[in-house]
Amino acid sequence: MRQAVVSVVSGHPLQVAGPQVTDADFSTIIDHWSDRISRILPDKPDLIVLPELFDRPVVSSQPAAEHLRPEHRAEFARSKGNRVQAGLAEIAVAHRTYITVPSYRIADDGTIRNSIQFLGRDGEVAATYDKMVPTPAEIADVGVQPGSAVLAADFDFGRVSAAICFDLNFEQVRAGVAAVKPDLIVFPSAYHGGLMQNYWALSCRSYFVGCVSPPNRSTIINPTGHEVASTSTYDWLITRTLNLDYALAHLDRNREKLLRLKAEYGRGVLIEDPGLVGMVLVSSLTDGVTADEMLAQFEIGDLDSYFAESTAHLDPSGRLA
């Protein structure tokens, strides 16, 4: 059993008088998000996930409290420095948790990136992912430069990968994430992505944590592509305990074996059937015995092994041999 308590903290951005963000505004932004985060701290999360560009304010002096205009976004990225990150680092240290910082950052080469920085329990940057597919407007109007590599970060609770907003549309990014075999995909975003969230979870065999800006729902999806939690219409907070000691197995040839597995371990194993897709999620609730070891004990091949056997007659190009 390998559990991680994950909290999703979304919410509306802070309004500032603008159009330029002042030093006082940055202090208020930190206070605003610290207050949001404080609401889930009693759950003692291992990981706190915030939405894409969470610290970018809206300007109340513009019609309908618009986001910063493009000409001010690069200035915002450069003027904030590490102030917001430092504010969140204090929370990470005080509460011994990982926190995501999904925002514009200035890279070592001076370029602007749309990134997720993961702060560790010590407040230091433990991992960084740069959005691999910024939108054309981000590139043209703000000067955001794309990242070049998927994330595979091994934290004390499991392996984490990531995607940011527009990334979710691109098979190249998804395939790269699947290849690193994450336990958990973190997805801060300004848009939901719909069925693509479920597809990423299923195809990457990973939990998927989507922290999405209101009015969209934030969600947690398990490795079968089944939604297991979402924010409500009244607030944008979720905390769930995820068991990252899991394996996927197909039902074909395994039904009787799965019954014997359950009889052997009882409450020490959870076998979840989402329906419709012919597979189950097997999670170990037994200390000292992993889900993979349980499958091996009863000669249950995992899902990918079953699929590999099923396609062995195809040549590498995908044609029938």
Side-chain angles (χ1 to χ4, degrees), residues 84-253:
V84 177
Q85 177 184 318
L88 295 184
E90 292 181 6
I91 298 173
V93 171
H95 296 275
R96 300 294 298 162
T97 183
Y98 291 84
I99 299 180
T100 65
V101 186
S103 187
Y104 294 141
R105 73 178 182 94
I106 305 302
D108 291 341
D109 62 4
T111 58
I112 299 173
R113 306 299 177 108
N114 185 341
S115 304
I116 312 172
Q117 290 181 296
F118 290 82
L119 304 183
R121 300 184 197 270
D122 59 358
E124 299 297 320
V125 176
T128 300
Y129 169 73
D130 296 327
K131 187 176 185 177
M132 293 183 69
V133 191
T135 66
E138 283 183 291
I139 296 171
D141 298 340
V142 186
V144 172
Q145 296 301 300
S148 59
V150 300
L151 177 69
D154 291 313
F155 298 150
D156 55 25
F157 55 81
R159 172 165 286 193
V160 174
S161 193
I164 300 175
C165 198
F166 200 47
D167 281 337
L168 206 67
N169 295 288
F170 298 95
E171 174 60 19
Q172 302 96 315
V173 183
R174 188 212 61 81
V177 169
V180 303
K181 299 185 182 300
D183 300 308
L184 182 68
I185 299 168
V186 172
F187 176 65
S189 185
Y191 98 119
H192 186 277
L195 61 85
M196 293 301 291
Q197 288 197 11
N198 308 78
Y199 174 66
W200 271 58
L202 174 59
S203 63
C204 295
R205 317 291 191 243
S206 174
Y207 279 93
F208 185 101
V209 177
C211 186
V212 186
S213 301
N216 290 300
R217 297 181 306 118
S218 294
T219 51
I220 298 176
I221 299 169
N222 76 14
T224 67
H226 179 70
E227 183 181 297
V228 294
S230 72
T231 50
S232 75
T233 55
Y234 302 106
D235 208 346
W236 300 280
L237 306 172
I238 311 171
T239 298
R240 288 292 184 276
T241 300
L242 306 182
N243 186 353
L244 302 182
D245 185 354
Y246 65 84
L248 290 169
H250 203 276
L251 290 172
D252 186 29
R253 301 187 301 191

Side-chain angles (χ1 to χ4, degrees), residues 27-47:
S27 295
T28 307
I29 289 168
I30 294 169
D31 290 343
H32 172 75
W33 284 100
S34 296
D35 177 69
R36 294 289 299 157
I37 291 169
S38 72
R39 304 180 193 193
I40 52 83
L41 290 175
D43 291 316
K44 298 182 179 180
D46 294 296
L47 173 65

